[in-house]
Amino acid sequence: RIGSATSTSSALINSRLQELVKLFKERTEKVKEKLTDPDVTSDEESPVASPAAAPPPPPGGALEGDKAAGAEHYCQMLCCTFKHPPWLEHLRSYQFPSSIDPFTNLMYVLWLFFVVLAWNWNCWLIPIRWAFPYQTPTNIHLWLLMDYLCALIYLLDILLFQTRLQFVQGGDIITDKKAMREHYLRSQRFKMDLLSLLPLDFFYFKVGVNPLLRFPRCLKYMAFFEFNNRLEAILSKAYIYRVIRTTAYLLYSLHLNSCLYYWASAYEGLGSTTWVYDGEGNSYIRCYYWAVKTLITIGGLPDPKTLFEIIFQLLNYFTGVFAFSVMIGQMRDVVGAATAGQTYYRSCMDSTIKYMNFYRIPKTIQNRVKTWYDYTWHSQGMLDESELLVQLPDKMRLDIAIDVNYNIVSRVALFQGCDRQMIFDMLKRLRSVVYLPNDYVCKKGEIGREMYIIQAGQVQVLGGPDGTTVLVTLKAGSVFGEISLLAAGGGNRRTANVVAHGFANLFILDKKDLNEILVHYPESQKLLRKKAKKMLKNNNKPKEGKGGPGDSLIIPPKPETPKLFQAAMAARGKLGGKGPLAQLRWRLKELKAMQE
């Protein structure tokens, strides 16, 4: 054990010494770089200290700890060993929260669901038990069991949840238990909750189990509307729930009308006239069918005979016209809100098509424009993402931009080492653009004024003699055109054609936006200028020729004759062909013929 401990400590010392040597070498290189290039910031000179190595664990300590941790989840029974479910341990150690955020706590939304179930039980079943003969002495104990279970849910909601809800006062979120309890006791919600638990059940001993005495249980309607708001905030397609809820409103109004119709029939006498219910078949289904035909004014109903029947039918018709018109209007609003985006998309598409037809744009271009509209809408659900975030505060837009784009921008080599806040400011300036298949993102020779980050799809870099050879294919997360943002003196021209291979979603950062940001970050500006200078230097290095040493010619090619020398020989040839220049000219011709 002593030997093993000594060897472990020596290994740690050697690794630490190697790290120190590596740090000193890096520091020396950076100092040399500082002397050659004064733009290097002082932040780059100081190396980051590596974390100290953790001391080795004592022998057998880890095994004992693992064994102890594992023993918590196992128990022996007879000759077998069973593992405790981890959720059971969490359930035992769970503590009810002292304060609940009603806007973000999913447990509170789940509890509201049970409260709404209890409220719906009272709203739907109390009229049925009052009008129809479904509550009998043989099953009264089952009805009472469900009634008191719903009352227990109401009571738990008051004692455990409503007194722990956080609230905002003067801009501060109040989480104090006493303040939350007092705020609930002073609210209108508490008064309605208290009325919903009126103990009218004591009158059962005098008048019998009358369901109408439970009518105050329906006053807990505020929990229903709160549940709707919280659920719509969670759902991604809230309009589906709105349609279901509006349909439930219509069904409930028909439900009440069917109960009233059975009560009126029992008051007049079942089967006494042709207008009342005759008592055959399923009473609820037949009365509901009559209510549907009455409220929707379908017609084909028997005429009322007595004065009571005529007044009841008139009230039904008036109520049906009013209720049905309200339901239709609400359904129209729900459907209109659900399809508002699709309507905006169709209007933009129609306006663009009308414009192109007016100016007689070629059909090929029109088809590409239609394809762009269709793909952009189906890929991101909107035509311009910036319109969605205009109304948000600047900090919220920054938070959304960080979650969406930071992982992509942080991988750009040009911006690594820059100020973090500068990158945050840059994220808000990115704009999303969709390119169709075979669209040119940029062309060779044009001035580069933006940088591209591939969000989705692929682009191809073309080159070669004819400009159609695929040099490289860039995929999602790749970046190109970043040198053009900081290059100056003609270095911001594109060096190749870039074409979209299929549909491509790109983020674009303009040079103007980056310059406006860098004004406030001089240190990052120096670092970016230095990196851009190095990248330009690497791109402008002369490329090696294709021929190797073995491909050298036996007679090297003769350099071209200077133009001034050719002019002098031509002038001498006009004067005469016997001078030294003429002889030299004849000699050069012989050498050229031999070389050919």
Side-chain angles (χ1 to χ4, degrees), residues 124 242-258 284 288 291-292 294-297 319-328 330-331:
W124 286 78
R242 297 190 189 110
V243 171
I244 296 174
R245 186 182 62 202
T246 306
T247 306
Y249 291 158
L250 178 60
L251 296 178
Y252 184 70
S253 62
L254 296 173
H255 167 76
L256 292 179
N257 195 25
S258 63
Y284 180 76
Y288 201 92
V292 171
T294 304
L295 286 184
I296 305 180
T297 63
T319 306
V321 171
F322 176 75
F324 197 65
S325 60
V326 170
M327 294 301 169
I328 290 178
Q330 189 172 1
M331 188 68 74

Tab-separated table of all heavy atoms in Angstrom, residues 124 242-258 284 288 291-292 294-297 319-328 330-331:
chain	number	residue	atom	x	y	z
A	124	TRP	N	-73.523	18.893	-14.344
A	124	TRP	CA	-74.232	18.008	-15.266
A	124	TRP	C	-75.210	17.072	-14.542
A	124	TRP	O	-76.292	16.773	-15.063
A	124	TRP	CB	-73.224	17.173	-16.071
A	124	TRP	CG	-72.512	17.943	-17.125
A	124	TRP	CD1	-71.477	18.799	-16.949
A	124	TRP	CD2	-72.788	17.932	-18.528
A	124	TRP	NE1	-71.062	19.317	-18.149
A	124	TRP	CE2	-71.860	18.796	-19.143
A	124	TRP	CE3	-73.710	17.265	-19.332
A	124	TRP	CZ2	-71.834	19.023	-20.516
A	124	TRP	CZ3	-73.678	17.494	-20.709
A	124	TRP	CH2	-72.767	18.366	-21.279
A	242	ARG	N	-60.271	24.964	-27.664
A	242	ARG	CA	-61.327	25.976	-27.711
A	242	ARG	C	-62.539	25.461	-28.471
A	242	ARG	O	-63.690	25.724	-28.086
A	242	ARG	CB	-60.799	27.254	-28.357
A	242	ARG	CG	-59.671	27.926	-27.572
A	242	ARG	CD	-59.366	29.290	-28.118
A	242	ARG	NE	-58.160	29.846	-27.514
A	242	ARG	CZ	-57.012	30.021	-28.158
A	242	ARG	NH1	-56.926	29.695	-29.435
A	242	ARG	NH2	-55.954	30.522	-27.552
A	243	VAL	N	-62.296	24.742	-29.562
A	243	VAL	CA	-63.409	24.173	-30.322
A	243	VAL	C	-64.157	23.144	-29.470
A	243	VAL	O	-65.402	23.117	-29.450
A	243	VAL	CB	-62.896	23.544	-31.637
A	243	VAL	CG1	-64.001	22.757	-32.330
A	243	VAL	CG2	-62.357	24.621	-32.562
A	244	ILE	N	-63.410	22.299	-28.752
A	244	ILE	CA	-64.047	21.290	-27.888
A	244	ILE	C	-64.840	21.970	-26.779
A	244	ILE	O	-65.973	21.562	-26.452
A	244	ILE	CB	-62.983	20.346	-27.307
A	244	ILE	CG1	-62.299	19.555	-28.437
A	244	ILE	CG2	-63.584	19.395	-26.290
A	244	ILE	CD1	-61.139	18.704	-27.974
A	245	ARG	N	-64.287	23.026	-26.202
A	245	ARG	CA	-64.979	23.718	-25.119
A	245	ARG	C	-66.257	24.400	-25.622
A	245	ARG	O	-67.308	24.339	-24.952
A	245	ARG	CB	-64.044	24.749	-24.499
A	245	ARG	CG	-64.593	25.444	-23.274
A	245	ARG	CD	-63.608	26.459	-22.783
A	245	ARG	NE	-63.386	27.493	-23.789
A	245	ARG	CZ	-62.304	28.256	-23.813
A	245	ARG	NH1	-61.339	28.087	-22.932
A	245	ARG	NH2	-62.167	29.184	-24.743
A	246	THR	N	-66.203	25.028	-26.796
A	246	THR	CA	-67.402	25.663	-27.345
A	246	THR	C	-68.469	24.626	-27.678
A	246	THR	O	-69.672	24.853	-27.456
A	246	THR	CB	-67.035	26.458	-28.600
A	246	THR	OG1	-65.978	27.372	-28.293
A	246	THR	CG2	-68.221	27.235	-29.125
A	247	THR	N	-68.053	23.487	-28.190
A	247	THR	CA	-69.016	22.400	-28.444
A	247	THR	C	-69.640	21.911	-27.139
A	247	THR	O	-70.840	21.593	-27.091
A	247	THR	CB	-68.311	21.248	-29.166
A	247	THR	OG1	-67.660	21.739	-30.339
A	247	THR	CG2	-69.299	20.167	-29.564
A	248	ALA	N	-68.840	21.874	-26.064
A	248	ALA	CA	-69.384	21.450	-24.762
A	248	ALA	C	-70.417	22.447	-24.253
A	248	ALA	O	-71.414	22.056	-23.612
A	248	ALA	CB	-68.252	21.295	-23.755
A	249	TYR	N	-70.199	23.749	-24.521
A	249	TYR	CA	-71.210	24.738	-24.147
A	249	TYR	C	-72.549	24.444	-24.821
A	249	TYR	O	-73.614	24.502	-24.185
A	249	TYR	CB	-70.743	26.143	-24.538
A	249	TYR	CG	-69.584	26.679	-23.729
A	249	TYR	CD1	-68.782	27.689	-24.228
A	249	TYR	CD2	-69.286	26.165	-22.473
A	249	TYR	CE1	-67.716	28.192	-23.500
A	249	TYR	CE2	-68.226	26.655	-21.735
A	249	TYR	CZ	-67.439	27.665	-22.262
A	249	TYR	OH	-66.381	28.151	-21.536
A	250	LEU	N	-72.508	24.148	-26.106
A	250	LEU	CA	-73.738	23.842	-26.839
A	250	LEU	C	-74.400	22.577	-26.310
A	250	LEU	O	-75.633	22.531	-26.110
A	250	LEU	CB	-73.417	23.702	-28.330
A	250	LEU	CG	-74.578	23.330	-29.257
A	250	LEU	CD1	-75.675	24.389	-29.184
A	250	LEU	CD2	-74.089	23.143	-30.678
A	251	LEU	N	-73.595	21.549	-26.054
A	251	LEU	CA	-74.167	20.302	-25.534
A	251	LEU	C	-74.774	20.499	-24.149
A	251	LEU	O	-75.805	19.894	-23.821
A	251	LEU	CB	-73.082	19.217	-25.475
A	251	LEU	CG	-72.499	18.783	-26.825
A	251	LEU	CD1	-71.399	17.750	-26.618
A	251	LEU	CD2	-73.585	18.221	-27.729
A	252	TYR	N	-74.165	21.353	-23.338
A	252	TYR	CA	-74.702	21.582	-21.989
A	252	TYR	C	-76.021	22.343	-22.042
A	252	TYR	O	-76.953	22.072	-21.256
A	252	TYR	CB	-73.690	22.343	-21.147
A	252	TYR	CG	-74.121	22.538	-19.721
A	252	TYR	CD1	-74.174	21.461	-18.846
A	252	TYR	CD2	-74.490	23.791	-19.248
A	252	TYR	CE1	-74.580	21.620	-17.537
A	252	TYR	CE2	-74.892	23.967	-17.936
A	252	TYR	CZ	-74.941	22.875	-17.090
A	252	TYR	OH	-75.353	23.034	-15.790
A	253	SER	N	-76.131	23.309	-22.958
A	253	SER	CA	-77.405	24.020	-23.095
A	253	SER	C	-78.510	23.074	-23.558
A	253	SER	O	-79.656	23.152	-23.069
A	253	SER	CB	-77.251	25.189	-24.072
A	253	SER	OG	-76.891	24.714	-25.365
A	254	LEU	N	-78.185	22.154	-24.464
A	254	LEU	CA	-79.170	21.144	-24.867
A	254	LEU	C	-79.497	20.206	-23.712
A	254	LEU	O	-80.645	19.752	-23.562
A	254	LEU	CB	-78.631	20.346	-26.058
A	254	LEU	CG	-78.396	21.132	-27.359
A	254	LEU	CD1	-77.709	20.255	-28.389
A	254	LEU	CD2	-79.717	21.660	-27.905
A	255	HIS	N	-78.489	19.910	-22.885
A	255	HIS	CA	-78.697	19.053	-21.716
A	255	HIS	C	-79.691	19.689	-20.738
A	255	HIS	O	-80.621	19.021	-20.248
A	255	HIS	CB	-77.347	18.803	-21.047
A	255	HIS	CG	-77.437	18.199	-19.688
A	255	HIS	ND1	-77.715	16.870	-19.470
A	255	HIS	CD2	-77.294	18.753	-18.450
A	255	HIS	CE1	-77.724	16.621	-18.177
A	255	HIS	NE2	-77.474	17.753	-17.528
A	256	LEU	N	-79.533	20.981	-20.470
A	256	LEU	CA	-80.469	21.661	-19.570
A	256	LEU	C	-81.876	21.702	-20.157
A	256	LEU	O	-82.880	21.525	-19.433
A	256	LEU	CB	-79.974	23.086	-19.291
A	256	LEU	CG	-78.690	23.226	-18.456
A	256	LEU	CD1	-78.336	24.691	-18.293
A	256	LEU	CD2	-78.856	22.566	-17.099
A	257	ASN	N	-81.950	21.918	-21.473
A	257	ASN	CA	-83.271	21.980	-22.107
A	257	ASN	C	-83.982	20.624	-22.048
A	257	ASN	O	-85.209	20.555	-21.859
A	257	ASN	CB	-83.132	22.442	-23.547
A	257	ASN	CG	-84.449	22.881	-24.134
A	257	ASN	OD1	-85.362	23.287	-23.420
A	257	ASN	ND2	-84.567	22.804	-25.448
A	258	SER	N	-83.219	19.546	-22.204
A	258	SER	CA	-83.837	18.212	-22.126
A	258	SER	C	-84.350	17.932	-20.713
A	258	SER	O	-85.417	17.335	-20.535
A	258	SER	CB	-82.821	17.145	-22.544
A	258	SER	OG	-81.717	17.111	-21.656
A	284	TYR	N	-83.910	9.982	-21.217
A	284	TYR	CA	-82.933	11.063	-21.433
A	284	TYR	C	-82.616	11.246	-22.924
A	284	TYR	O	-82.570	12.376	-23.421
A	284	TYR	CB	-81.651	10.771	-20.652
A	284	TYR	CG	-80.597	11.843	-20.819
A	284	TYR	CD1	-80.711	13.053	-20.147
A	284	TYR	CD2	-79.501	11.649	-21.654
A	284	TYR	CE1	-79.761	14.044	-20.313
A	284	TYR	CE2	-78.545	12.627	-21.819
A	284	TYR	CZ	-78.682	13.834	-21.150
A	284	TYR	OH	-77.749	14.811	-21.317
A	288	TYR	N	-83.492	14.556	-25.011
A	288	TYR	CA	-82.373	15.275	-25.620
A	288	TYR	C	-82.620	15.480	-27.118
A	288	TYR	O	-82.295	16.542	-27.669
A	288	TYR	CB	-81.080	14.488	-25.394
A	288	TYR	CG	-79.825	15.328	-25.504
A	288	TYR	CD1	-79.280	15.924	-24.384
A	288	TYR	CD2	-79.212	15.534	-26.735
A	288	TYR	CE1	-78.137	16.698	-24.474
A	288	TYR	CE2	-78.078	16.309	-26.836
A	288	TYR	CZ	-77.537	16.896	-25.708
A	288	TYR	OH	-76.429	17.675	-25.814
A	291	ALA	N	-84.931	18.336	-27.433
A	291	ALA	CA	-84.247	19.603	-27.154
A	291	ALA	C	-83.423	20.058	-28.356
A	291	ALA	O	-83.379	21.258	-28.672
A	291	ALA	CB	-83.361	19.455	-25.923
A	292	VAL	N	-82.781	19.129	-29.043
A	292	VAL	CA	-81.996	19.490	-30.222
A	292	VAL	C	-82.898	20.065	-31.306
A	292	VAL	O	-82.602	21.104	-31.921
A	292	VAL	CB	-81.213	18.256	-30.729
A	292	VAL	CG1	-80.573	18.543	-32.082
A	292	VAL	CG2	-80.152	17.853	-29.725
A	294	THR	N	-85.716	21.492	-30.936
A	294	THR	CA	-86.329	22.746	-30.511
A	294	THR	C	-85.339	23.905	-30.552
A	294	THR	O	-85.610	24.957	-31.135
A	294	THR	CB	-86.895	22.604	-29.089
A	294	THR	OG1	-87.805	21.515	-29.055
A	294	THR	CG2	-87.605	23.870	-28.664
A	295	LEU	N	-84.163	23.735	-29.927
A	295	LEU	CA	-83.202	24.835	-29.858
A	295	LEU	C	-82.626	25.190	-31.221
A	295	LEU	O	-82.358	26.362	-31.502
A	295	LEU	CB	-82.077	24.488	-28.879
A	295	LEU	CG	-82.427	24.532	-27.389
A	295	LEU	CD1	-81.187	24.269	-26.554
A	295	LEU	CD2	-83.037	25.868	-27.008
A	296	ILE	N	-82.439	24.203	-32.074
A	296	ILE	CA	-81.884	24.482	-33.399
A	296	ILE	C	-83.004	24.827	-34.386
A	296	ILE	O	-82.740	25.155	-35.527
A	296	ILE	CB	-81.045	23.271	-33.877
A	296	ILE	CG1	-79.978	22.933	-32.823
A	296	ILE	CG2	-80.345	23.536	-35.174
A	296	ILE	CD1	-79.109	21.759	-33.182
A	297	THR	N	-84.267	24.802	-33.917
A	297	THR	CA	-85.442	25.147	-34.720
A	297	THR	C	-85.488	24.345	-36.021
A	297	THR	O	-85.635	24.908	-37.113
A	297	THR	CB	-85.464	26.661	-35.032
A	297	THR	OG1	-84.322	26.999	-35.807
A	297	THR	CG2	-85.493	27.488	-33.765
A	319	THR	N	-85.064	31.243	-26.509
A	319	THR	CA	-83.768	30.859	-25.935
A	319	THR	C	-82.899	30.146	-26.956
A	319	THR	O	-81.680	30.356	-27.016
A	319	THR	CB	-83.980	29.963	-24.705
A	319	THR	OG1	-84.850	30.624	-23.785
A	319	THR	CG2	-82.661	29.650	-24.027
A	320	GLY	N	-83.528	29.293	-27.767
A	320	GLY	CA	-82.761	28.553	-28.771
A	320	GLY	C	-82.152	29.458	-29.814
A	320	GLY	O	-80.987	29.293	-30.194
A	321	VAL	N	-82.936	30.448	-30.294
A	321	VAL	CA	-82.391	31.377	-31.290
A	321	VAL	C	-81.229	32.168	-30.719
A	321	VAL	O	-80.169	32.326	-31.353
A	321	VAL	CB	-83.513	32.316	-31.793
A	321	VAL	CG1	-82.935	33.426	-32.655
A	321	VAL	CG2	-84.548	31.535	-32.575
A	322	PHE	N	-81.382	32.661	-29.486
A	322	PHE	CA	-80.317	33.451	-28.870
A	322	PHE	C	-79.078	32.603	-28.598
A	322	PHE	O	-77.943	32.973	-28.953
A	322	PHE	CB	-80.848	34.061	-27.572
A	322	PHE	CG	-79.810	34.811	-26.802
A	322	PHE	CD1	-79.380	36.057	-27.212
A	322	PHE	CD2	-79.239	34.264	-25.652
A	322	PHE	CE1	-78.414	36.745	-26.499
A	322	PHE	CE2	-78.284	34.947	-24.940
A	322	PHE	CZ	-77.873	36.192	-25.360
A	323	ALA	N	-79.278	31.429	-27.972
A	323	ALA	CA	-78.135	30.581	-27.606
A	323	ALA	C	-77.407	30.066	-28.848
A	323	ALA	O	-76.167	30.051	-28.892
A	323	ALA	CB	-78.605	29.415	-26.739
A	324	PHE	N	-78.178	29.678	-29.863
A	324	PHE	CA	-77.532	29.116	-31.039
A	324	PHE	C	-76.759	30.181	-31.814
A	324	PHE	O	-75.681	29.904	-32.344
A	324	PHE	CB	-78.591	28.476	-31.944
A	324	PHE	CG	-78.024	27.524	-32.951
A	324	PHE	CD1	-77.399	26.351	-32.549
A	324	PHE	CD2	-78.083	27.812	-34.301
A	324	PHE	CE1	-76.866	25.480	-33.473
A	324	PHE	CE2	-77.556	26.945	-35.225
A	324	PHE	CZ	-76.948	25.772	-34.818
A	325	SER	N	-77.283	31.408	-31.857
A	325	SER	CA	-76.544	32.484	-32.537
A	325	SER	C	-75.255	32.811	-31.793
A	325	SER	O	-74.205	33.058	-32.409
A	325	SER	CB	-77.422	33.726	-32.647
A	325	SER	OG	-77.798	34.184	-31.368
A	326	VAL	N	-75.319	32.798	-30.450
A	326	VAL	CA	-74.103	33.051	-29.670
A	326	VAL	C	-73.074	31.952	-29.912
A	326	VAL	O	-71.867	32.219	-30.074
A	326	VAL	CB	-74.455	33.169	-28.176
A	326	VAL	CG1	-73.184	33.192	-27.334
A	326	VAL	CG2	-75.274	34.420	-27.923
A	327	MET	N	-73.521	30.702	-29.962
A	327	MET	CA	-72.596	29.591	-30.187
A	327	MET	C	-71.962	29.669	-31.568
A	327	MET	O	-70.759	29.416	-31.739
A	327	MET	CB	-73.329	28.264	-30.016
A	327	MET	CG	-73.811	27.984	-28.606
A	327	MET	SD	-72.460	27.968	-27.408
A	327	MET	CE	-73.396	27.945	-25.878
A	328	ILE	N	-72.761	30.033	-32.567
A	328	ILE	CA	-72.215	30.144	-33.921
A	328	ILE	C	-71.175	31.263	-33.990
A	328	ILE	O	-70.105	31.117	-34.587
A	328	ILE	CB	-73.345	30.363	-34.934
A	328	ILE	CG1	-74.188	29.096	-35.072
A	328	ILE	CG2	-72.783	30.770	-36.288
A	328	ILE	CD1	-75.358	29.240	-36.015
A	330	GLN	N	-69.353	32.450	-31.496
A	330	GLN	CA	-68.155	32.049	-30.762
A	330	GLN	C	-67.347	31.026	-31.545
A	330	GLN	O	-66.110	31.089	-31.573
A	330	GLN	CB	-68.543	31.491	-29.399
A	330	GLN	CG	-67.344	31.246	-28.479
A	330	GLN	CD	-67.778	30.880	-27.079
A	330	GLN	OE1	-68.962	30.797	-26.798
A	330	GLN	NE2	-66.806	30.675	-26.198
A	331	MET	N	-68.025	30.098	-32.192
A	331	MET	CA	-67.320	29.115	-33.003
A	331	MET	C	-66.608	29.770	-34.184
A	331	MET	O	-65.503	29.388	-34.558
A	331	MET	CB	-68.300	28.053	-33.501
A	331	MET	CG	-67.643	26.875	-34.184
A	331	MET	SD	-66.676	25.862	-33.046
A	331	MET	CE	-67.989	25.029	-32.157
